[in-house]
Each structure stands twice: as C-alpha cells, then as structure tokens.
Amino acid sequence: MKKKYIYMLTMTLALGTLGACKKYLDVNPQDRILTSNYYKTQTEVFSGLVSIYDSFGYQYSGLYDKVAIMDVASDDHWAGGGGPGDINDLQVMETYKLNSQSGPSTYLWSKGYQGIFRANFFLSKVTDAPIDAGLKSRFAAEAKTLRAIFYFDLVRFFKNIPLLLQEVDPAKVNDVVQALPAEVYAQMEKDLSEAIPALPATVPAATEGGRITKGAAQALLGKVYLWQKKFDKAAEQFALVNGPTPGQVNPANGYKLLNNYADLWNVNNKFNSESILEIVKTTSSNGGWSNAGASDGNLLNIITGPRGYQPIKPDAPDYYPGYGFLSFTKEFFAVIHYDPRNAPTVANLDSLRKNGIANYSDSYNNTGYMLEKFIGRQKNKPATGQTELNFGQDIYEIRLADTYLLEVDALLNGGAAVGAGSRAYQLLNAVRARVGLNPVAVTMDNLVLERRLELAGEGHRWLDLVRWGRTSVLAYKGFDATKNTVFPIPQKELNNTKIEQNKEWGGTK
C-alpha cells in the first residue's frame, strides 16, 4: 500500500527513545495540522491508519531490521560485514556481548512503542470520525491487529513491558510501570478476537496489498496462543488459516503454497497465494542517507549483497554489490546442501569464485555462503533515489508454510494424533512435497529441521529455539541461557522512570 506521512503537532508521546523515530516534514507553523482539526474525512482517517503501518515497516537507520537481528542471533548466520565493528549492533548480537547500552534493544523497543502510540492515538480518534460505519470498524480492526503485532514482539523480546492502551499524560510519562506478561498476552488475545470479525477475508492486491486481513489476524492469534502453550486454541486458529485440505487452496481466503519455492523470492511476485502478511517495500520512496531508516526500500537487499561483487562470465548472477552481512555458517550449509531449497536460499559465492564465474571480497568471518533470498539484483535496482536504499522486495511477516508448520507444532505438542494420514502428517509433508521431498514422520526433530530449512534467513530460527527450549546450539556464540532468552531493556528507558530492568540482566523484574 502506498505510504503517506502526516505531521500532527501532538500526535504521539514517547517513552524515552521513541522521539528518535519520528519523521518530520518542513512546514510553516501556520500550516500545521492540529489533532483537534484532523480525522474529519475518510482520507484523513486513512492517513492516520497508514502511519501505524509505517511503524510496522520501520527499519533502523543503521541499516538493519528485525529479520537481520534474529538471523545473526541464530546458529545459522554470521553477522559478516566489513569487520568486527561494522554495524556494531549486529556484531554484539551475534556474539551475545550486548547490554542495556549496546546492541539492537533500543531499535526494537522504539519501533514497538512508536507503533503502539500511533495505534492508541488512532483508536482514540476513529470512534468519533464521521465516516462510514463499516470502514470505521475495519480501520479499527487493522489498528488493533497492528497493536497486537507490536506487543507480540515486545513481550517476546523484553518480557516485562508497559501495557499502554491510551495516550499518556506528558506529566506522568515517567511514572509508567510494567505489566505482567500474562496481562500483555491477554490484551493481544482481546484485540485480535475483536478485530477478526471486522476484517476482510481477502483484499485486492493492486490497491490494498499489504493491508491486514482476517487470515493475518487469525495467524497472529494462533502464534500468541502457541507462545503461551495453549496448543488446542493455537491449532484451531491455524486450521482456519491453513484450510481443510493441506496442500490445496483454502476456499475461505485463497491461501495456497506456491508450486515453485523459488517464486517466493521473485520481487515482482508480491501478495501471492502463500503470502499472509507482507511488509511492503518500494523502489519509489527516494530514501537517502540522511535518514536511511525512513526509506521504504528493503535494506536487507543491500546489506546481504556480496562485497565488491564482480561478474566474470556472462552467466554469472546479476547480484548488486552490497555489504556482505548475514552470511550462512558452514554448518548450516552442510545441512541444506542437498535439500531442494538450497539454491533459492544460499548464494554460493565460494563456488562462483572457484569456477571463475564471478569474484567478490571476503566478508568478516567469510564462509562464501550468502543469503540468496534477499540479495539485491541489478535488474531490480530503482530508477530514482539512492540505489542502495530503495530496492523494492517485500518481506514476509507471515507466510503459509510458516503457519502449516506452526499448526503441526501445536498439534504435536498438544497431544493430537500425528501418525500417517493425520492432519499434522499432511501439513508437514505438504511443505516437503512442494519441493519434491518424500514424507517423513511427525516428530519434534523433523519439525525443527523442516522449519530451519523452509524458513532459513527469514528471522524465525532464534525465536523458535527460545520457544522450544533448544538454545544449547547457540552456546558456541556465547549464548548464556540464564539471561539471553530475553533482551536487556534499553538504559534510556530506565533512567528517571519506574521501569525496572529484567532480572536476567541484573534487575529486579
């Protein structure tokens, strides 16, 4: 969906670092739009809604996003880049040397609360907006779903967080306290349960692609239940998303696994039948270096590109030279090497160089295996703006293979039948059949491996390992199970406030 930006004099209040994420336009003070005069037309209301979506897609000006953080935290990737200090937040995340003042915590916290404040403000205004009742209901449902997305990330990353559902009086902003995680999860369940009936099953991709649908909210609710080990409720929501016959189109929403796995990474294949929710990117935002995070381009496309890439032979891939981040470990390559998803997932620069097809410069901790799914291509570079910041590949927040495997997870751990012919068996093996693999039994080890291979490089692995309690595979990176299952709350949020640091990081919460 096309992004728009609105300037409102008193639009949001910030918890500490939130202010760093606001976007400004140069305006004459006499032309400023006050909130008291806004939300009077459908266009104005929709602009307010778009501002929440803008937070959903927000990337850090230091050239990373949530996917990059989760990748380098996992056992499948090295941070890479030009050296041990290049994009330092990713380097300290990789080695688990982060603390309350160093690492990506500030970005994750700021992004979440920026979105929450915008959603809260929008919900306080849309109720009385003089627009069609049906549209009002849908807009509110989108805002509640987005608020749930922000809270879902925050509670998983930080555990003990403030639960804010309305604007905060500026005089009381430092008096905000944290809620119990159970209270945050209960609010997400409430928001999503209220939102689902008002959301459309499908949207026209050409005009509304990227907007929240019923399936996106149901999938998110399933994830919220799964993280709380409410396996039966999670399976119920995922079944609504996945449809009655695994591997076949779901008649309720049109979702279906793509026949060709590689087509998922075709930048022109936005809003395909496997896409449940995408973060929309564009080549036309004209993002520049003065505020790279404000760009609507996909920053993963440039940071994952091989450093100094030079094609030698005509059949060399047309990679756009990038910064060499998120390289795969040699151990991961050994696991995926003979899987059909290898080529669409891994760019084997080592092989290209050895065979004289192309050359490149080594990244830090170079393995020669880069993240093919997101490398920018010469044929896809933008016609205008700063090339590196404006590639237009969307990012899947949720896709169908993910929800298929999560339903398997819920069924398996909830004690449902998982033998040959069962629903869990059909779901797991529909994902495998799509890439030509034979069926396997539904076991935890097989599920763990399938999610690792199917979703490689998409930011799921670390969260999966934490949820499953399988973090021992991260020990070689310095992962400490006594503290690294949560992030440290940024120090700026602790200074002169009632927010307390998590006990894992030396606090009392």
Side-chain angles (χ1 to χ4, degrees):
M1 61 189 289
K2 183 178 180 181
K3 295 188 177 183
K4 303 175 182 177
Y5 303 99
I6 54 176
Y7 182 100
M8 292 191 244
L9 187 61
T10 58
M11 183 173 179
T12 57
L13 289 173
L15 279 182
T17 57
L18 179 62
C21 297
K22 289 192 292 186
K23 298 171 183 176
Y24 294 95
L25 298 177
D26 292 325
V27 294
N28 186 310
Q30 294 180 345
D31 295 331
R32 290 177 179 172
I33 303 172
L34 301 179
T35 58
S36 58
N37 298 324
Y38 210 71
Y39 289 86
K40 300 299 185 184
T41 68
Q42 181 177 320
T43 298
E44 291 176 349
V45 174
F46 184 67
S47 293
L49 178 63
V50 169
S51 75
I52 312 173
Y53 277 99
D54 181 55
S55 293
F56 175 50
Y58 177 72
Q59 303 165 105
Y60 181 54
S61 289
L63 302 184
Y64 64 79
D65 66 353
K66 181 177 72 173
V67 172
I69 297 167
M70 295 294 94
D71 281 354
V72 301
S74 80
D75 55 331
D76 289 345
H77 296 267
W78 295 113
D86 197 0
I87 308 188
N88 189 62
D89 286 352
L90 296 184
Q91 304 294 341
V92 300
M93 185 72 254
E94 176 203 274
T95 57
Y96 289 95
K97 294 179 180 177
L98 70 167
N99 54 51
S100 63
Q101 299 183 70
S102 177
S105 290
T106 295
Y107 160 73
L108 293 170
W109 184 279
S110 299
K111 175 181 176 175
Y113 278 107
Q114 178 193 64
I116 288 164
F117 273 97
R118 290 184 178 188
N120 288 345
F121 185 86
F122 178 86
L123 289 166
S124 74
K125 294 296 183 180
V126 72
T127 302
D128 298 322
I131 63 173
D132 175 79
L135 276 179
K136 184 185 299 187
S137 179
R138 179 187 173 186
F139 289 172
E142 290 178 79
K144 288 182 178 180
T145 303
L146 287 165
R147 181 167 68 181
I149 289 173
F150 298 130
Y151 271 124
F152 189 47
D153 278 347
L154 285 166
V155 77
R156 289 185 297 171
F157 293 143
F158 298 104
K159 187 172 67 173
N160 296 297
I161 61 173
L163 177 60
L164 307 173
L165 303 176
Q166 56 190 9
E167 293 178 83
V168 179
D169 185 330
K172 298 179 179 179
V173 69
N174 289 337
D175 295 328
V176 169
V177 296
Q178 291 140 294
L180 294 173
E183 295 175 308
V184 180
Y185 276 104
Q187 183 61 46
M188 288 187 285
E189 291 179 18
K190 181 177 183 292
D191 274 348
L192 292 167
S193 296
E194 291 175 352
I196 287 168
L199 292 167
T202 62
V203 296
T207 56
E208 298 186 16
R211 291 182 66 179
I212 299 288
T213 61
K214 191 182 300 290
Q218 290 167 330
L220 180 60
L221 183 55
K223 291 188 176 192
V224 167
Y225 285 140
L226 188 62
W227 267 81
Q228 299 174 87
K229 301 187 185 302
K230 297 179 179 180
F231 297 120
D232 290 346
K233 288 186 175 182
E236 180 182 2
Q237 292 301 315
F238 290 133
L240 294 172
V241 177
N242 297 334
T245 309
Q248 301 299 314
V249 65
N250 183 352
N253 49 36
Y255 297 146
K256 183 181 183 298
L257 297 176
L258 292 183
N259 293 329
N260 182 7
Y261 181 78
D263 287 346
L264 285 161
W265 317 111
N266 182 334
V267 299
N268 298 314
N269 200 18
K270 297 172 183 276
F271 318 124
N272 55 68
S273 66
E274 190 166 337
S275 173
I276 297 174
L277 183 60
E278 295 182 21
I279 299 175
V280 180
K281 301 300 178 183
T282 177
T283 59
S284 59
S285 74
N286 289 319
W289 289 115
S290 61
N291 189 359
S295 171
D296 293 332
N298 186 337
L299 298 184
L300 286 170
N301 287 168
I302 190 61
I303 70 167
T304 59
R307 298 177 67 85
Y309 179 76
Q310 295 178 322
I312 298 173
K313 294 185 178 180
D315 59 344
D318 67 333
Y319 299 138
Y320 190 88
Y323 305 147
F325 284 87
L326 309 189
S327 56
F328 283 110
T329 64
K330 291 182 178 180
E331 187 272 337
F332 172 78
F333 182 72
V335 174
I336 200 174
H337 191 185
Y338 296 107
D339 187 276
R341 287 161 290 202
N342 176 25
T345 301
V346 181
N348 193 334
L349 274 297
D350 182 60
S351 177
L352 292 177
R353 182 157 64 186
K354 286 179 178 178
N355 289 285
I357 297 172
N359 202 1
Y360 73 105
S361 300
D362 288 0
S363 300
Y364 178 58
N365 285 332
N366 185 64
T367 63
Y369 309 122
M370 307 303 295
L371 182 48
E372 172 78 16
K373 289 179 177 179
F374 289 119
I375 296 176
R377 301 282 186 146
Q378 294 283 356
K379 64 184 176 185
N380 297 321
K381 64 183 182 182
T384 60
Q386 186 68 43
T387 301
E388 293 84 352
L389 305 179
N390 290 285
F391 283 93
Q393 182 183 7
D394 286 3
I395 298 173
Y396 298 109
E397 179 76 7
I398 310 173
R399 63 180 177 90
L400 193 62
D402 178 20
T403 57
Y404 268 33
L405 296 175
L406 289 176
E407 186 180 347
V408 175
D409 196 326
L411 292 169
L412 175 61
N413 287 292
V418 297
S422 68
R423 181 170 174 85
Y425 183 89
Q426 293 175 35
L427 286 161
L428 174 63
N429 289 299
V431 175
R432 291 175 58 81
R434 186 257 293 277
V435 294
L437 292 172
N438 292 327
V440 295
V442 179
T443 66
M444 198 62 203
D445 285 344
N446 283 342
L447 174 63
V448 169
L449 178 60
E450 198 62 33
R451 282 188 64 80
R452 186 182 191 185
L453 296 174
E454 173 70 24
L455 302 169
E458 297 177 53
H460 296 279
R461 173 74 172 170
W462 185 84
L463 288 164
D464 280 345
L465 292 172
V466 170
R467 179 168 57 84
W468 292 325
R470 293 191 171 214
T471 56
S472 61
V473 297
L474 300 171
Y476 79 98
K477 282 190 166 186
F479 183 93
D480 181 347
T482 66
K483 68 177 182 178
N484 289 132
T485 56
V486 297
F487 282 68
I489 294 172
Q491 187 62 42
K492 289 182 179 180
E493 307 304 329
L494 306 175
N495 295 337
N496 302 314
T497 74
K498 293 185 177 180
I499 296 176
E500 302 172 50
Q501 184 60 272
N502 290 314
K503 63 181 181 181
E504 292 88 347
W505 291 93
T508 57
K509 202 69 174 174

